[in-house]
Amino acid sequence: MRALDLEGWQRKTVQEAADLKVTYGLPEHELPRGGGVIRAGDVRDGRLWTSPSAPAAPLDGRDNRAVLAEGDLVVVLVRRVGDAALIDQRHTGWVTTRSVGILRSSDHDITRWLKIWFQTPVARAWFDRHVSAHVEPTLSIDRLRAMEVAVPPPGRIETLSRLVELIQHKRALNRRIAADAVTLADAHHALLVRRHRQSWTPATFGAVTSVMTGRPGRSQADLSGVATSRIAPADVLRADPPHIQGGQETHAEPGDVCEPGTVLVASRPEGARAALTWFRTTPARGVLAVRPSDPSDRWWLLHELRSRSEELPKIAQGRQAREISRRAFSQLELAWPGDGVRRQFQEVAEPLHDRARSALEENRLLKELLDRVLRDVSSIAARI
């Protein structure tokens, strides 16, 4: 980002930049009935996750400071402080709750820039310093108004906004591609089970796979053993699409290390999740590592486990259904067709997962590019 020089940059407060409005939404008892409301949970990853299926309800002449207009920036003020999204025509006329701030400027490029600014390392650090946390992290609207912002000249805003938006749109597209690829494989698995299961010989997981339970982490770092990544239950539960992309770097005894292609399983009361790992991993406590005798069978195994998400917590231990024992899992029956059907499924599922994997890898590289842009913006801010 060598083009990011100091010329034309200015330091302003959020209040000065958002020169028309810096406020927050309405309390619950003042919200209009029938929809048209944006809550903190609707603003995630820089986007609005609401479906404007009906026109916004009028406020019956009450305070309209929380009514949104195109070009406004809505900002989360509670818990995920600083996550922000722009308002377009679809949400014009909606309102926000008190947990969501509203920024409006006479220049829409300014709100586009503030959305980017709130993602920079310097802004994230500012949020961490200025939130209060009596119950959960909360940023007051007065503190937000006083936040300092490095504002580039108009032409630079346009260039940086296009770059950041292109990266974010491409990452969102890749996530949809990966999710749809896995959904197609899920559908093909369900079709084969529905059509042919009655003709398959019953089997158990213990008969067709080897199962290993994860162990508690060591109390202190041990540099001996094999370099690996320790995978916690949370890593498996949030793997969507079901590909493990990272974990805590560590060392482990060779017998505790799983090779690439192992299916990892973690359970919670609301459902179990299964995910495939593409590198050497060591499961932590609460994670099952499941390996078929033939590596090509991992695709059938993965989707069979995905189809059993609601069933698996029933054999887990404890009220929180957090640990599935090796013995209980091994005794569980599964749909295990003959070699021909499993090979047929592999021919369909493997290319789909390869496509999902390539989309996720591209997103990793795009994330590195975005992080570099945001770091460079922070560097400029420190010098003006």
Side-chain angles (χ1 to χ4, degrees), residues 64-153:
N64 64 359
R65 64 181 172 78
V67 177
L68 297 167
E70 184 175 2
D72 286 354
L73 186 69
V74 289
V75 186
V76 176
L77 301 176
V78 177
R79 193 175 303 165
R80 292 177 295 101
V81 173
D83 205 348
L86 288 165
I87 297 298
D88 58 22
Q89 289 182 341
R90 297 176 302 163
H91 295 92
T92 297
W94 285 41
V95 299
T96 72
T97 62
R98 289 180 68 91
S99 59
V100 179
I102 304 170
L103 277 59
R104 182 177 298 170
S105 174
S106 55
D107 182 355
H108 287 185
D109 280 347
I110 291 296
T111 48
R112 290 175 69 193
W113 174 250
L114 290 174
K115 180 176 182 288
I116 295 172
W117 173 258
F118 291 156
Q119 302 172 59
T120 62
V122 66
R124 302 311 308 172
W126 187 94
F127 288 135
D128 289 342
R129 292 195 307 271
H130 290 87
V131 295
S132 60
H134 299 296
V135 178
E136 53 189 356
T138 302
L139 183 69
S140 74
I141 202 68
D142 287 336
R143 285 192 181 275
L144 181 60
R145 290 189 180 108
M147 180 186 193
E148 288 193 336
V149 181
V151 181

XYZ file of all heavy atoms in Angstrom, residues 64-153:
721
model
N -38.535 10.581 16.102
C -38.090 9.908 14.889
C -36.586 9.971 14.703
O -36.079 9.738 13.614
C -38.778 10.503 13.658
C -38.410 11.948 13.425
O -37.649 12.541 14.194
N -38.942 12.530 12.370
N -35.836 10.273 15.769
C -34.386 10.355 15.632
C -33.778 9.012 15.249
O -32.683 8.968 14.693
C -33.764 10.821 16.961
C -33.964 9.849 18.105
C -33.363 10.317 19.407
N -33.745 9.459 20.510
C -33.198 8.278 20.752
N -32.240 7.821 19.969
N -33.602 7.554 21.776
N -34.471 7.904 15.556
C -33.927 6.571 15.285
C -34.336 6.030 13.924
O -34.005 4.904 13.582
C -34.366 5.590 16.379
N -35.077 6.818 13.132
C -35.497 6.365 11.808
C -34.310 6.439 10.844
O -33.627 7.459 10.752
C -36.668 7.220 11.277
C -37.037 6.788 9.861
C -37.872 7.082 12.202
N -34.077 5.362 10.132
C -32.892 5.240 9.285
C -33.130 5.758 7.878
O -34.227 5.654 7.336
C -32.454 3.769 9.216
C -32.029 3.154 10.552
C -31.928 1.640 10.446
C -30.698 3.748 11.007
N -32.061 6.300 7.293
C -32.086 6.773 5.920
C -30.949 6.118 5.143
O -29.962 5.652 5.728
C -31.947 8.298 5.881
N -31.087 6.087 3.844
C -30.050 5.493 3.002
C -28.727 6.219 3.222
O -28.680 7.452 3.265
C -30.452 5.576 1.532
C -29.476 4.893 0.595
C -29.950 4.884 -0.844
O -31.034 5.447 -1.114
O -29.235 4.328 -1.694
N -27.657 5.463 3.368
C -26.341 6.035 3.620
C -25.962 6.097 5.073
O -24.794 6.353 5.402
N -26.929 5.897 5.988
C -26.599 5.862 7.413
C -25.698 4.667 7.714
O -25.727 3.645 7.018
C -27.875 5.729 8.258
C -28.675 7.019 8.327
O -28.189 8.047 7.827
O -29.789 6.989 8.870
N -24.930 4.798 8.782
C -24.114 3.693 9.283
C -24.672 3.274 10.637
O -24.820 4.108 11.534
C -22.651 4.123 9.433
C -21.666 3.018 9.822
C -21.496 2.019 8.678
C -20.318 3.606 10.224
N -25.010 2.007 10.774
C -25.460 1.489 12.065
C -24.292 0.768 12.711
O -23.563 0.007 12.054
C -26.686 0.564 11.921
C -27.913 1.367 11.543
C -26.443 -0.536 10.895
N -24.091 1.008 14.013
C -22.913 0.524 14.729
C -23.365 -0.190 16.000
O -24.146 0.360 16.781
C -21.977 1.698 15.115
C -20.691 1.166 15.729
C -21.684 2.572 13.919
N -22.851 -1.391 16.216
C -23.175 -2.151 17.419
C -22.486 -1.492 18.618
O -21.282 -1.216 18.583
C -22.727 -3.615 17.281
C -22.978 -4.386 18.584
C -23.463 -4.285 16.130
N -23.242 -1.266 19.676
C -22.719 -0.613 20.879
C -22.589 -1.561 22.063
O -22.073 -1.165 23.111
C -23.629 0.548 21.290
C -23.839 1.659 20.255
C -24.837 2.681 20.773
C -22.510 2.320 19.909
N -23.031 -2.796 21.915
C -23.027 -3.756 23.015
C -22.395 -5.067 22.549
O -22.729 -5.585 21.489
C -24.458 -4.017 23.541
C -24.453 -5.063 24.638
C -25.086 -2.728 24.045
N -21.476 -5.583 23.330
C -20.800 -6.867 23.122
C -19.876 -6.827 21.909
O -18.667 -6.742 22.070
C -21.809 -8.007 23.008
C -21.159 -9.403 23.115
C -22.207 -10.498 23.110
N -23.170 -10.295 24.189
C -24.337 -10.895 24.273
N -24.720 -11.708 23.300
N -25.137 -10.674 25.300
N -20.379 -6.881 20.676
C -19.525 -6.830 19.479
C -19.349 -5.370 19.048
O -19.667 -4.991 17.921
C -20.145 -7.663 18.369
C -20.157 -9.159 18.626
C -20.853 -9.938 17.532
N -22.275 -9.619 17.468
C -22.824 -8.798 16.594
N -22.085 -8.191 15.678
N -24.109 -8.556 16.618
N -18.817 -4.596 19.958
C -18.748 -3.146 19.763
C -17.936 -2.801 18.510
O -16.829 -3.308 18.305
C -18.126 -2.473 20.999
C -17.899 -0.988 20.746
C -19.028 -2.669 22.216
N -18.506 -1.926 17.680
C -17.803 -1.447 16.494
C -18.182 -2.154 15.217
O -17.873 -1.657 14.126
N -18.840 -3.307 15.295
C -19.316 -3.963 14.077
C -20.354 -3.048 13.441
O -21.267 -2.562 14.121
C -19.926 -5.328 14.404
C -19.879 -6.278 13.212
O -19.584 -5.807 12.091
O -20.138 -7.484 13.395
N -20.233 -2.784 12.140
C -21.065 -1.754 11.515
C -21.508 -2.189 10.132
O -20.876 -3.018 9.479
C -20.287 -0.433 11.432
N -22.631 -1.606 9.687
C -23.160 -1.893 8.357
C -23.836 -0.648 7.819
O -24.374 0.177 8.580
C -24.152 -3.053 8.410
N -23.823 -0.508 6.498
C -24.453 0.636 5.849
C -25.914 0.341 5.522
O -26.278 -0.794 5.219
C -23.698 0.987 4.565
C -22.328 1.641 4.764
C -21.525 1.602 3.473
C -22.485 3.084 5.251
N -26.734 1.378 5.577
C -28.156 1.257 5.268
C -28.376 1.599 3.793
O -27.885 2.618 3.297
C -28.982 2.218 6.155
C -28.828 1.839 7.624
C -30.455 2.201 5.741
C -29.328 0.459 7.972
N -29.110 0.730 3.100
C -29.480 1.024 1.719
C -30.993 1.222 1.642
O -31.677 1.310 2.662
C -28.998 -0.067 0.759
C -29.548 -1.448 1.136
O -30.587 -1.504 1.837
O -28.955 -2.453 0.734
N -31.536 1.273 0.431
C -32.959 1.556 0.251
C -33.845 0.499 0.910
O -34.969 0.805 1.331
C -33.287 1.643 -1.235
C -32.723 2.889 -1.908
C -33.126 2.963 -3.369
O -33.515 1.967 -3.974
N -33.031 4.158 -3.938
N -33.351 -0.739 1.017
C -34.195 -1.809 1.562
C -34.559 -1.562 3.021
O -35.607 -2.013 3.481
C -33.484 -3.161 1.441
C -33.210 -3.609 0.012
C -32.410 -4.898 0.023
N -31.157 -4.725 0.758
C -30.425 -5.737 1.207
N -30.833 -6.978 1.027
N -29.291 -5.495 1.854
N -33.707 -0.874 3.765
C -33.950 -0.659 5.186
C -34.238 0.800 5.531
O -34.276 1.161 6.699
C -32.749 -1.162 6.000
C -32.536 -2.638 5.897
N -31.711 -3.207 4.955
C -33.068 -3.667 6.607
C -31.723 -4.523 5.093
N -32.529 -4.828 6.083
N -34.418 1.613 4.525
C -34.801 3.002 4.775
C -36.154 3.044 5.477
O -37.090 2.343 5.087
C -34.879 3.783 3.454
O -33.570 3.812 2.857
C -35.357 5.206 3.680
N -36.247 3.847 6.532
C -37.480 3.943 7.300
C -37.548 3.006 8.486
O -38.464 3.114 9.301
N -36.606 2.078 8.585
C -36.536 1.203 9.752
C -35.993 1.999 10.935
O -35.532 3.133 10.797
C -35.619 0.008 9.463
C -36.232 -1.028 8.558
C -36.993 -0.810 7.451
C -36.092 -2.439 8.680
N -37.337 -2.001 6.873
C -36.807 -3.015 7.602
C -35.443 -3.277 9.580
C -36.882 -4.400 7.413
C -35.511 -4.654 9.394
C -36.232 -5.203 8.328
N -36.027 1.376 12.113
C -35.443 1.981 13.308
C -34.487 0.980 13.943
O -34.465 -0.199 13.578
C -36.522 2.390 14.339
C -37.459 3.429 13.742
C -37.305 1.173 14.827
N -33.689 1.456 14.899
C -32.782 0.570 15.630
C -33.154 0.556 17.110
O -33.862 1.430 17.602
C -31.311 1.011 15.503
O -31.111 2.202 16.279
C -30.923 1.255 14.064
N -32.649 -0.442 17.802
C -32.785 -0.501 19.255
C -31.663 0.312 19.899
O -30.737 0.783 19.227
C -32.709 -1.955 19.741
O -31.424 -2.494 19.398
C -33.793 -2.806 19.100
N -31.727 0.429 21.226
C -30.731 1.238 21.941
C -29.328 0.650 21.848
O -28.344 1.350 22.093
C -31.137 1.367 23.413
C -32.357 2.249 23.630
C -32.698 2.329 25.098
N -31.683 3.058 25.856
C -31.715 4.358 26.088
N -32.711 5.088 25.589
N -30.785 4.943 26.805
N -29.211 -0.618 21.529
C -27.899 -1.247 21.436
C -27.204 -0.981 20.106
O -26.108 -1.482 19.872
C -28.023 -2.760 21.649
O -28.881 -3.327 20.669
N -27.835 -0.195 19.250
C -27.283 0.105 17.921
C -27.211 1.617 17.736
O -28.217 2.326 17.876
C -28.137 -0.518 16.807
C -27.560 -0.162 15.424
C -28.221 -2.027 16.969
N -26.019 2.125 17.438
C -25.847 3.539 17.153
C -26.148 3.852 15.708
O -26.104 2.977 14.832
N -26.454 5.130 15.444
C -26.775 5.598 14.093
C -25.881 6.783 13.779
O -25.860 7.775 14.519
C -28.251 6.026 13.983
C -29.181 4.884 14.388
C -28.570 6.497 12.566
C -30.628 5.312 14.542
N -25.130 6.687 12.679
C -24.258 7.766 12.238
C -24.730 8.235 10.875
O -24.933 7.407 9.966
C -22.803 7.297 12.152
C -21.968 7.292 13.441
C -22.595 6.394 14.498
C -20.543 6.825 13.149
N -24.898 9.555 10.735
C -25.347 10.118 9.460
C -24.470 11.311 9.110
O -24.143 12.126 9.973
C -26.809 10.549 9.542
C -27.378 11.106 8.229
C -28.854 11.440 8.381
N -29.624 10.241 8.698
C -30.907 10.257 9.078
N -31.540 11.431 9.203
N -31.535 9.136 9.343
N -24.085 11.386 7.853
C -23.245 12.486 7.379
C -23.851 13.092 6.128
O -24.555 12.404 5.364
C -21.826 11.980 7.080
O -21.037 13.003 6.485
N -23.581 14.369 5.908
C -24.021 15.017 4.668
C -23.293 14.444 3.458
O -23.739 14.609 2.324
C -23.781 16.532 4.755
O -22.424 16.808 5.072
N -22.188 13.749 3.702
C -21.399 13.101 2.647
C -21.421 11.596 2.899
O -20.856 11.119 3.879
C -19.966 13.638 2.673
C -19.095 13.048 1.576
O -19.567 12.151 0.848
O -17.929 13.471 1.470
N -22.096 10.831 2.036
C -22.194 9.392 2.239
C -20.837 8.698 2.209
O -20.680 7.608 2.775
C -23.119 8.767 1.190
C -24.567 9.069 1.424
N -25.577 8.527 0.654
C -25.181 9.854 2.346
C -26.750 8.975 1.087
N -26.522 9.788 2.109
N -19.859 9.304 1.542
C -18.517 8.698 1.543
C -17.938 8.652 2.954
O -17.123 7.774 3.265
C -17.579 9.493 0.627
C -17.771 9.129 -0.840
O -18.439 8.110 -1.109
O -17.269 9.864 -1.701
N -18.347 9.570 3.809
C -17.828 9.591 5.179
C -18.323 8.369 5.947
O -17.552 7.723 6.680
C -18.231 10.892 5.898
C -17.495 12.092 5.279
C -17.930 10.793 7.393
C -15.993 12.050 5.446
N -19.588 8.032 5.817
C -20.075 6.847 6.527
C -19.462 5.573 5.943
O -19.200 4.617 6.671
C -21.610 6.778 6.504
O -22.098 6.987 5.169
C -22.203 7.816 7.434
N -19.218 5.560 4.639
C -18.500 4.420 4.054
C -17.113 4.302 4.681
O -16.640 3.206 4.973
C -18.365 4.590 2.536
C -19.647 4.443 1.758
C -19.432 4.746 0.290
N -18.628 3.726 -0.367
C -18.086 3.867 -1.577
N -18.242 5.007 -2.247
N -17.382 2.893 -2.103
N -16.465 5.464 4.898
C -15.130 5.439 5.475
C -15.166 5.018 6.942
O -14.317 4.240 7.391
C -14.446 6.795 5.346
C -13.135 6.804 6.061
C -12.813 7.463 7.201
C -11.982 6.046 5.699
N -11.521 7.177 7.574
C -10.988 6.303 6.659
C -11.698 5.182 4.644
C -9.733 5.715 6.604
C -10.434 4.603 4.580
C -9.475 4.872 5.554
N -16.135 5.510 7.695
C -16.217 5.146 9.109
C -16.405 3.634 9.276
O -15.867 3.041 10.212
C -17.368 5.905 9.777
C -17.154 7.407 9.954
C -18.422 8.066 10.486
C -15.975 7.687 10.887
N -17.137 3.021 8.384
C -17.299 1.562 8.428
C -15.940 0.865 8.307
O -15.660 -0.114 8.998
C -18.237 1.102 7.309
C -18.488 -0.401 7.255
C -19.515 -0.709 6.176
C -19.823 -2.201 6.119
N -18.720 -2.982 5.559
N -15.089 1.380 7.424
C -13.740 0.822 7.274
C -12.892 1.159 8.502
O -12.193 0.296 9.053
C -13.071 1.359 5.996
C -13.830 0.871 4.757
C -11.601 0.951 5.930
C -13.361 1.509 3.468
N -12.971 2.414 8.946
C -12.149 2.849 10.075
C -12.385 1.990 11.308
O -11.448 1.625 12.021
C -12.430 4.309 10.376
C -11.754 4.798 11.625
C -12.317 4.989 12.854
C -10.361 5.108 11.753
N -11.373 5.410 13.742
C -10.157 5.491 13.099
C -9.285 5.108 10.882
C -8.918 5.863 13.570
C -8.038 5.494 11.349
C -7.862 5.857 12.682
N -13.637 1.635 11.578
C -13.956 0.866 12.775
C -13.337 -0.537 12.747
O -13.286 -1.214 13.768
C -15.472 0.748 12.947
C -16.150 2.049 13.295
C -17.494 2.244 13.017
C -15.448 3.083 13.884
C -18.124 3.432 13.336
C -16.054 4.292 14.200
C -17.401 4.461 13.921
N -12.846 -0.975 11.581
C -12.211 -2.289 11.479
C -10.708 -2.244 11.673
O -10.064 -3.285 11.783
C -12.499 -2.908 10.093
C -13.967 -3.072 9.769
C -14.168 -3.493 8.326
O -13.680 -4.528 7.879
N -14.894 -2.690 7.562
N -10.111 -1.048 11.705
C -8.657 -0.942 11.777
C -8.147 -1.342 13.157
O -8.869 -1.228 14.152
C -8.210 0.494 11.469
O -8.754 1.375 12.463
C -8.668 0.931 10.082
N -6.892 -1.779 13.252
C -6.330 -2.123 14.563
C -6.384 -0.974 15.562
O -6.667 -1.193 16.743
C -4.891 -2.519 14.231
C -4.934 -2.984 12.821
C -5.967 -2.129 12.152
N -6.134 0.265 15.104
C -6.139 1.395 16.031
C -7.550 1.638 16.565
O -7.740 1.956 17.751
C -5.563 2.660 15.358
C -6.438 3.155 14.217
C -5.357 3.771 16.394
N -8.563 1.462 15.738
C -9.934 1.638 16.200
C -10.349 0.508 17.131
O -11.007 0.734 18.159
C -10.893 1.722 15.005
N -9.958 -0.726 16.795
C -10.313 -1.855 17.663
C -9.690 -1.675 19.046
O -10.316 -1.966 20.069
C -9.854 -3.179 17.050
C -10.399 -3.522 15.668
C -11.884 -3.375 15.542
N -12.600 -4.095 16.590
C -13.910 -3.995 16.792
N -14.632 -3.194 16.037
N -14.486 -4.688 17.760
N -8.452 -1.203 19.070
C -7.796 -0.960 20.359
C -8.517 0.146 21.129
O -8.654 0.071 22.361
C -6.334 -0.597 20.140
N -8.980 1.173 20.418
C -9.716 2.259 21.080
C -11.007 1.733 21.698
O -11.358 2.071 22.828
C -10.014 3.362 20.066
C -10.610 4.598 20.666
C -9.955 5.720 21.082
C -12.009 4.834 20.922
N -10.842 6.641 21.579
C -12.113 6.129 21.500
C -13.155 4.087 20.727
C -13.337 6.677 21.866
C -14.377 4.629 21.106
C -14.460 5.906 21.666
N -11.722 0.900 20.965
C -12.958 0.314 21.506
C -12.664 -0.478 22.776
O -13.391 -0.382 23.772
C -13.620 -0.595 20.476
C -14.257 0.125 19.323
C -14.079 -0.322 18.023
C -15.050 1.251 19.534
C -14.676 0.330 16.958
C -15.648 1.915 18.474
C -15.452 1.452 17.178
N -11.592 -1.278 22.745
C -11.256 -2.097 23.915
C -10.990 -1.227 25.145
O -11.309 -1.610 26.272
C -10.030 -2.962 23.617
C -10.332 -4.083 22.629
O -11.524 -4.399 22.441
O -9.383 -4.623 22.041
N -10.384 -0.053 24.932
C -10.055 0.826 26.055
C -11.267 1.578 26.596
O -11.293 1.952 27.766
C -8.989 1.858 25.638
C -7.626 1.276 25.363
C -6.576 2.382 25.317
N -6.920 3.463 24.400
C -6.582 3.480 23.113
N -5.906 2.459 22.599
N -6.916 4.507 22.345
N -12.271 1.817 25.769
C -13.339 2.730 26.155
C -14.682 2.064 26.418
O -15.649 2.766 26.738
C -13.512 3.815 25.082
C -12.371 4.789 25.043
N -11.231 4.553 24.295
C -12.164 5.974 25.674
C -10.386 5.565 24.459
N -10.931 6.440 25.281
N -14.775 0.760 26.305
C -16.034 0.113 26.658
C -16.126 -0.026 28.170
O -15.106 -0.138 28.868
C -16.166 -1.284 25.997
C -16.248 -1.168 24.495
C -15.040 -2.211 26.424
N -17.325 0.019 28.676
C -17.579 -0.341 30.065
C -18.107 -1.769 30.076
O -18.699 -2.219 29.104
C -18.615 0.606 30.689
O -19.844 0.543 29.988
N -17.880 -2.475 31.177
C -18.229 -3.898 31.182
C -18.847 -4.301 32.515
O -18.421 -5.257 33.149
C -16.999 -4.745 30.888
N -19.865 -3.582 32.953
C -20.549 -3.959 34.189
C -21.258 -5.302 34.021
O -21.209 -6.172 34.876
C -21.562 -2.877 34.578
C -20.922 -1.543 34.829
N -20.021 -1.338 35.855
C -21.036 -0.357 34.181
C -19.608 -0.073 35.840
N -20.202 0.537 34.828
N -21.942 -5.483 32.897
C -22.594 -6.757 32.582
C -21.980 -7.344 31.324
O -21.563 -8.489 31.286
C -24.112 -6.566 32.408
C -24.769 -7.884 32.027
C -24.727 -6.002 33.691
N -21.904 -6.543 30.256
C -21.264 -6.943 29.000
C -20.648 -5.695 28.380
O -21.070 -4.569 28.678
C -22.272 -7.603 28.064
C -23.517 -6.775 27.817
C -24.567 -7.560 27.061
O -24.289 -8.707 26.677
O -25.663 -7.020 26.858
N -19.626 -5.852 27.528
C -18.958 -4.682 26.955
C -19.949 -3.743 26.272
O -20.721 -4.162 25.407
C -17.980 -5.302 25.954
C -17.731 -6.679 26.469
C -19.020 -7.122 27.090
N -19.928 -2.469 26.677
C -20.879 -1.486 26.158
C -20.150 -0.164 25.903
O -19.358 0.278 26.727
C -22.022 -1.243 27.155
O -22.675 -2.487 27.432
C -23.037 -0.257 26.596
N -20.421 0.438 24.761
C -19.837 1.728 24.419
C -20.937 2.791 24.464
O -21.976 2.640 23.809
C -19.213 1.698 23.022
C -18.512 2.975 22.572
C -17.243 3.197 23.373
C -18.202 2.928 21.079
N -20.701 3.850 25.222
C -21.688 4.922 25.288
C -21.623 5.762 24.020
O -20.575 5.862 23.366
C -21.436 5.804 26.515
O -20.291 6.628 26.313
N -22.754 6.379 23.685
C -22.793 7.200 22.483
C -21.915 8.432 22.632
O -21.340 8.930 21.654
C -24.249 7.578 22.134
C -24.363 7.948 20.650
C -24.761 8.684 23.040
C -24.152 6.803 19.709
N -21.764 8.932 23.851
C -20.894 10.107 24.062
C -19.439 9.761 23.780
O -18.700 10.568 23.192
C -21.045 10.624 25.492
C -22.379 11.339 25.718
O -22.943 11.831 24.721
O -22.840 11.387 26.866
N -19.005 8.586 24.210
C -17.622 8.170 23.911
C -17.435 7.993 22.409
O -16.387 8.350 21.857
C -17.291 6.878 24.646
C -17.055 7.061 26.151
C -16.449 5.802 26.752
N -16.226 5.937 28.175
C -15.156 6.479 28.724
N -14.199 6.955 27.943
N -15.020 6.549 30.035
N -18.430 7.425 21.750
C -18.318 7.243 20.306
C -18.208 8.593 19.601
O -17.413 8.749 18.664
C -19.525 6.467 19.775
C -19.532 6.186 18.266
C -18.316 5.361 17.859
C -20.818 5.492 17.847
N -18.983 9.575 20.034
C -18.891 10.902 19.416
C -17.488 11.487 19.519
O -17.026 12.179 18.619
C -19.877 11.859 20.093
C -21.347 11.587 19.812
C -22.208 12.719 20.356
N -23.622 12.469 20.103
C -24.497 12.141 21.045
N -24.099 12.030 22.318
N -25.764 11.936 20.736
N -16.799 11.197 20.635
C -15.480 11.786 20.880
C -14.342 10.992 20.245
O -13.190 11.451 20.265
C -15.236 11.899 22.388
N -14.629 9.853 19.686
C -13.574 9.020 19.077
C -12.907 9.780 17.932
O -13.560 10.377 17.090
C -14.189 7.731 18.541
C -13.190 6.789 17.897
S -14.048 5.370 17.138
C -12.673 4.259 16.835
N -11.570 9.750 17.881
C -10.832 10.401 16.805
C -10.720 9.465 15.604
O -10.535 8.253 15.746
C -9.446 10.821 17.274
C -9.467 12.003 18.230
C -8.086 12.600 18.419
O -7.091 11.881 18.215
O -8.010 13.802 18.761
N -10.825 10.060 14.418
C -10.812 9.323 13.157
C -9.825 9.988 12.207
O -9.799 11.224 12.101
C -12.213 9.310 12.504
C -12.194 8.510 11.211
C -13.256 8.772 13.461
N -9.031 9.192 11.535
C -8.181 9.705 10.465
C -8.967 9.606 9.163
O -9.317 8.511 8.732
C -6.894 8.894 10.371
N -9.257 10.758 8.549
C -10.106 10.809 7.364
C -9.252 11.156 6.149
O -8.631 12.223 6.102
C -11.228 11.849 7.524
C -12.117 11.861 6.282
C -12.050 11.551 8.778
N -9.208 10.284 5.142
C -8.420 10.580 3.938
C -9.159 11.553 3.028
O -10.349 11.816 3.211
C -8.274 9.207 3.278
C -9.444 8.429 3.763
C -9.811 8.948 5.110
N -8.471 12.084 2.021
C -9.139 12.962 1.053
C -10.187 12.175 0.266
O -10.118 10.943 0.192
C -7.996 13.452 0.160
C -6.918 12.433 0.328
C -7.032 11.919 1.731
